[in-house]
Amino acid sequence: CKRCQCHSEDNRTAILYTLLSQNLNHSRVSCSPAHQRCLCHQRRTVCLRTPHVTCQAASNVLVKTVSFMKNLPSFQLLPREDQLLLLDSCWVPLFLLGLVQEMVTFEVMETPAPSMLKKILLDGQSKQQEPERMQPTLAAVQRLQCCLNTFWRLDLSPKEYAYLKGAILFNPDVPGLRASLYIESLQREAQRALQEVLRPLHPEDQGRFARILLIASTLKSIPPALITDLFFRPVIGNADIVELITEMLYE
């Protein structure tokens, strides 16, 4: 939207503002930006419409994602430090590929906002509590769904998924890798295998390989915090998702 309605002068005509103007002014000063609720459609916060179903499906995909890494001998041969760096860097795009492969769909709804009156009355108490966790925005979720829809249109085969996951996992550009040259060779091997699979499956589509890699790069732009808050925070609470995945990998 061109103009955020949260800062519109029209809000000053609200009955609540008229009745509690002094307290409202105080709350605007003391309230941090993280607690201010924007009324713009794209910036509104959302949550899963069916969290029990979607979170269970997402957890199953995450288990399969970790199993993929555990079952790769070339990954297990890497130094443990490199495994952890690759895990931290690549778990989100690998998980998203799993969502696409498993055809996991989801819907979101707007999160209920606490009333302004409640904020005013509980202002003193809320200062002593932990800061409120940021919720995913509608715009961020729509961007995520757009990436997933783009992959669904590619209609990848199981072998294409497997080799693409390998090309994403073995990323030599992750800072701090000890075996970056070996990891780079593994990535080239996965990409070469992907190309060889594409030739008989799509002989008429010469640009499919480049298109797959280009679309895959968009998955890396999805923030891990969005994936964690949307799919796993309702289940794990304040736990660190990377620590949990690490435990799954080495259990």
Side-chain angles (χ1 to χ4, degrees):
C1 55
K2 295 183 179 180
R3 182 180 180 184
C4 178
Q5 296 301 316
C6 296
H7 306 290
S8 173
E9 294 297 327
D10 295 339
N11 289 333
R12 293 184 174 270
T13 62
I15 295 178
L16 182 59
Y17 179 87
T18 304
L19 295 177
L20 303 172
S21 58
Q22 293 181 349
N23 288 333
L24 182 58
N25 288 332
H26 171 72
S27 68
R28 283 182 176 175
V29 173
S30 62
C31 186
S32 65
H35 290 74
Q36 294 176 358
R37 183 174 179 81
C38 181
L39 299 181
C40 294
H41 180 66
Q42 292 296 307
R43 295 185 183 181
R44 289 179 177 176
T45 57
V46 295
C47 60
L48 294 172
R49 184 175 296 276
T50 55
H52 298 298
V53 176
T54 306
C55 289
Q56 181 61 55
S59 298
N60 293 338
V61 170
L62 186 62
V63 170
K64 292 182 179 180
T65 300
V66 176
S67 297
F68 169 78
M69 289 183 279
K70 292 177 66 172
N71 294 328
L72 281 178
S74 52
F75 180 80
Q76 296 299 324
L77 290 175
L78 293 174
R80 187 183 180 96
E81 296 84 353
D82 285 6
Q83 293 180 18
L84 293 176
L85 289 172
L86 293 177
L87 172 68
D88 184 58
S89 173
C90 304
W91 78 267
V92 170
L94 290 179
F95 167 76
L96 294 178
L97 271 182
L99 288 184
V100 177
Q101 188 173 12
E102 298 296 324
M103 300 295 292
V104 176
T105 60
F106 61 94
E107 295 182 357
V108 295
M109 63 180 182
E110 185 177 352
T111 54
S115 65
M116 183 62 70
L117 180 59
K118 181 179 179 181
K119 284 186 177 182
I120 294 171
L121 296 178
L122 300 180
D123 180 62
Q125 301 178 20
S126 62
K127 292 179 180 178
Q128 301 176 357
Q129 299 175 355
E130 294 182 358
E132 183 180 355
R133 188 187 303 118
M134 291 294 292
Q135 294 288 332
T137 63
L138 178 60
V141 173
Q142 287 179 336
R143 183 165 177 262
L144 168 61
Q145 290 178 323
C146 180
C147 291
L148 299 180
N149 290 335
T150 303
F151 255 106
W152 274 317
R153 287 194 291 269
L154 286 174
D155 192 21
L156 300 180
S157 66
K159 286 187 176 181
E160 287 176 292
Y161 276 115
Y163 293 132
L164 179 58
K165 289 177 182 179
I168 291 176
L169 174 61
F170 297 116
N171 181 10
D173 298 326
V174 174
L177 292 175
R178 294 171 53 189
S180 58
L181 293 179
Y182 176 59
I183 293 173
E184 183 178 7
S185 67
L186 293 175
Q187 185 184 65
R188 287 199 302 266
E189 182 180 343
Q191 292 176 345
R192 182 166 55 251
L194 177 59
Q195 282 183 306
E196 292 177 356
V197 168
L198 291 176
R199 290 193 185 101
L201 291 179
H202 306 276
E204 75 289 345
D205 192 352
Q206 300 297 324
R208 184 175 175 86
F209 174 73
R211 190 163 62 255
I212 290 176
L213 294 184
L214 179 62
I215 297 175
S217 67
T218 63
L219 300 179
K220 299 179 182 180
S221 66
I222 303 297
L226 171 63
I227 302 304
T228 303
D229 293 337
L230 186 62
F231 296 108
F232 301 109
R233 195 62 69 196
V235 178
I236 68 174
N238 294 323
D240 189 311
I241 184 65
V242 176
E243 291 182 1
L244 294 178
I245 297 175
T246 303
E247 292 179 3
M248 295 167 59
L249 183 63
Y250 296 113
E251 65 180 359

